[in-house]
Amino acid sequence: MEKDLLKKLAKKHDENWDKVMELAKENGFITQTFAGTAVLICNEEQIKNYGYEKYEQIQETNSTLNQIKELENEEELG
């Protein structure tokens, strides 16, 4: 394939990077980021492999701990 076409394809895909990262952050999947890369791990595996204390730290970094209040409200209404 031509390099120009591959560059265009890469640019097209990279345009979605911010959307992908925002969705990953909203759902607490990001465990590490560096130099345009990210390590994503599902939440269940984070707890299983890191334990609850580290999981809480990861979720704090992802700004998802505020979702706990939403869950508590759902349980009260449930």
Side-chain angles (χ1 to χ4, degrees), residues 14-38:
D14 285 348
E15 288 173 357
N16 292 311
W17 181 251
D18 289 339
K19 291 183 225 173
V20 169
M21 291 300 290
E22 186 60 33
L23 188 59
K25 183 176 179 182
E26 286 174 11
N27 289 282
F29 296 134
I30 301 172
T31 59
Q32 292 179 337
T33 60
F34 47 90
T37 66

Side-chain angles (χ1 to χ4, degrees), residues 47-78:
I47 291 171
K48 184 173 147 187
N49 291 294
Y50 297 132
Y52 285 99
E53 189 174 319
K54 179 68 175 171
Y55 175 72
E56 185 176 355
Q57 292 172 357
I58 292 167
Q59 296 313 304
E60 185 175 4
T61 301
N62 282 302
S63 303
T64 63
L65 292 180
N66 62 330
Q67 295 175 14
I68 288 176
K69 289 181 181 168
E70 295 171 19
L71 293 172
E72 289 172 340
N73 289 339
E74 287 176 10
E75 287 181 2
E76 289 174 8
L77 297 174

Side-chain angles (χ1 to χ4, degrees), residues 1-14:
M1 286 193 157
E2 290 183 37
K3 289 180 183 179
D4 288 342
L5 290 175
L6 291 172
K7 282 176 123 176
K8 285 181 182 180
L9 181 62
K11 183 178 179 181
K12 179 182 179 212
H13 288 169
D14 285 348

